[in-house]
């Protein structure tokens, strides 16, 4: 009998896997915090004999090299990947024994598209396919995006992605479990809606539902390219880090910062990030600090916005919250916070100073305020979300671009919203730190029209102008 354990990396919208038999196992696309994979192997009582990468990842720092070093496992990496470390180069059709007693083996299938060298791995039991680790080749209902390697290759890779999906569907039985790495909220997915569904799937289900398998190649490529959204800025640093070979993870506690040091770091232009929930932050925080909730997509949005390499100080309500955030940030290469503090704002401000605050509101409050007079309404959602509907008269600057475009926000009180409140809180903290009068709309966008606000779509006004 074989097993497959899923290791969720929810903050990044990814999954890693541990698969094996009675004695040995393979780890597929492991996260940087390899202790989770080692713990999973210990619970199963197996030795990790192989570590396999489907591709050189562009959205997180892999733990594969370090896991192979620590466990003594063979490190399987697609032969076409350009890397600077010793590994076992894997080519199409290569078969690797995982558990001899259980008849388990991995068979490599070249599935280019997400990257030129992308490789899927078929898990076989006594020669029969039982599962396939598809990385970014075949996701739930969609595929991985083809635009993360080189812009000039995007259209070519989109066609390769269609061909790879069809190869998997043609060569594997319908009951084969499909186990993707991306596609559970990851920006590596080409479709944020379809990819966020989660759950389990098979080759047969994907034949019926996957956009790559239900559309002809020209329609698929046209729709895929038209639907691509912005790429998180930190992705530019992930591929090079993984190609060079990441350093071992260091999760020792950062230096403790007192109120004077926090003030000094702010004065020096460093980033001070408050990890508490957005309600607590709005009620009181250190002036100049930014709010990225530890419970939200911390790594994605903080890594996307922060100037790469800028010193970072973390403020957390507890040591546990700080440690969890440090672990999550390390997955995307933000390794060592310059300093940190725990507690609450009363201990983070200097003697004689007080925390600052800003109000939170709903779309109903915004509708009432608009009836009283003009205010600036700032929409910080992505272009694709904006296209589905926006508050008439609102300004659109996606949250990941706001820190570079603050000067574009007109004077006056700014009411900032997103789809649910988390990104609005980030944006409100950026505006507040810049000295603006801001109100954070902490509400679901579905409530906007119900509150009496006029909601229009891009198609209704033509040309896509409001999305810019």
């Amino acid at each position: 009998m074989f097993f497959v354990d899923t290791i969720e990396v929810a903050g990044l919208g990814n999954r890693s896997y541990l698969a094996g038999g009675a004695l040995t196992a393979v780890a597929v696309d492991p996260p940087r915090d390899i202790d989770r994979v080692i713990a999973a192997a210990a619970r199963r009582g197996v030795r990790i004999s192989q570590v396999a990468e489907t591709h050189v990842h562009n959205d997180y720092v892999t733990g594969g090299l370090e896991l192979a070093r620590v466990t003594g496992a063979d490190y399987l990496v697609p032969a076409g990947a350009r890397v600077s470390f010793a590994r076992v180069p894997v080519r199409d059709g290569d078969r690797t024994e995982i558990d001899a007693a259980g008849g388990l083996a991995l068979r490599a299938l070249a599935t280019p598209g997400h990257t030129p060298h992308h490789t899927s791995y078929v898990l076989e039991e006594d020669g029969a396919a039982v599962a396939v680790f598809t990385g970014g080749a075949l996701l739930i209902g969609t595929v991985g995006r083809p635009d993360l390697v080189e812009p000039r290759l995007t259209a070519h890779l989109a066609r390769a992605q269609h061909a790879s999906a069809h190869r998997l569907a043609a060569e594997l039985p319908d009951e084969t479990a499909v186990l993707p790495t991306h596609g559970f909220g990851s920006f590596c997915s080409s479709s944020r809606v379809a990819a966020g569904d989660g759950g389990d799937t098979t080759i047969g289900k994907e034949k019926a539902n996957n956009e790559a398998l239900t559309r002809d190649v020209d329609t698929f490529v046209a729709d895929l390219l038209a639907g691509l959204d912005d790429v998180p800025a930190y992705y530019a640093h992930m591929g090079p880090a993984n190609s060079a070979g990441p350093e071992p993870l260091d999760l020792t506690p950062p230096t403790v910062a007192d109120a004077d040091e926090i003030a000094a770091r702010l004065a020096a232009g460093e980033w001070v990030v408050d990890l508490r929930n957005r309600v607590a932050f709005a009620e009181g925080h250190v002036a100049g600090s930014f709010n990225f909730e530890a419970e939200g997509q911390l790594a994605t949005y903080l890594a996307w916005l922060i100037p790469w390499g800028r010193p970072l100080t973390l403020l957390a309500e507890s040591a546990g919250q700080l440690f969890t955030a440090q672990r999550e940030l390390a997955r995307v290469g933000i390794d060592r916070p310059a300093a940190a503090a725990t507690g609450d704002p009363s201990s983070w401000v200097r003697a004689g100073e007080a925390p600052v605050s800003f109000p939170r509101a709903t779309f109903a409050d915004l509708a009432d305020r608009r009836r009283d007079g003009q205010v600036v309404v700032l929409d910080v959602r992505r272009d694709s979300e904006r296209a589905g509907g926006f508050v008439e008269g609102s300004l659109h600057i996606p949250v990941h671009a706001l820190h570079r475009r603050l000067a574009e926000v007109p004077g006056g009180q700014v009411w900032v919203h997103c789809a649910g409140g988390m990104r609005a809180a980030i944006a409100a903290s950026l505006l507040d730190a810049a000295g603006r009068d801001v109100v954070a709309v902490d509400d679901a966008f579905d409530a906007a029209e119900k509150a009496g606000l006029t909601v229009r779509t891009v198609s209704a006004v033509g040309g896509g102008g409001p999305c810019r």
Side-chain angles (χ1 to χ4, degrees), residues 388-408:
F390 60 92
V391 175
E392 185 176 34
S394 60
L395 172 68
H396 180 224
I397 303 177
V399 68
H400 59 264
L402 181 60
H403 62 303
R404 302 188 306 272
R405 299 173 58 185
L406 287 170
E408 298 178 27

Side-chain angles (χ1 to χ4, degrees), residues 120-295:
S120 298
Y121 296 94
V122 181
L123 182 65
E124 297 179 335
E125 184 179 39
D126 296 327
V130 293
V132 57
F133 301 102
T134 56
L138 189 67
L139 312 186
I140 298 176
T142 186
V143 295
R145 58 193 301 168
D147 61 331
L148 302 180
V149 177
E150 160 59 54
R152 291 171 296 183
L153 294 178
T154 298
H156 168 75
L157 290 177
R159 289 185 173 274
Q161 200 61 311
H162 186 270
S164 291
H166 279 262
R167 181 186 185 191
L168 289 165
E171 295 190 15
L172 298 176
D174 283 357
E175 62 272 18
T176 306
V178 174
L179 304 173
T181 299
H182 307 307
F184 308 95
S186 168
F187 280 89
C188 266
S189 167
S190 64
S191 172
R192 296 280 290 167
V193 176
D197 293 341
D200 300 323
T201 191
T202 63
I203 289 292
K205 290 179 181 178
E206 293 309 306
K207 283 182 178 179
N209 300 308
N210 195 291
E211 55 196 13
L213 298 173
T214 57
R215 302 176 186 176
D216 66 84
V217 62
D218 291 332
T219 302
F220 167 78
V221 169
D223 290 346
L224 177 64
L225 298 182
L228 293 173
D229 217 327
D230 289 344
V231 178
Y234 71 91
Y235 277 24
H237 305 280
M238 301 297 96
N242 289 325
S243 295
E247 294 294 321
L249 184 60
D250 179 4
L251 292 178
T252 55
T255 301
V256 176
D258 59 16
D260 287 334
E261 183 176 350
I262 292 170
R265 290 187 177 279
L266 282 168
E270 299 182 9
W271 274 41
V272 175
V273 168
D274 191 324
L275 299 168
R276 296 174 302 142
N277 69 70
R278 57 184 181 264
V279 176
F281 182 88
E283 290 176 348
H285 55 272
V286 177
S289 63
F290 304 139
N291 182 214
F292 290 79
E293 291 182 315
E295 292 77 19

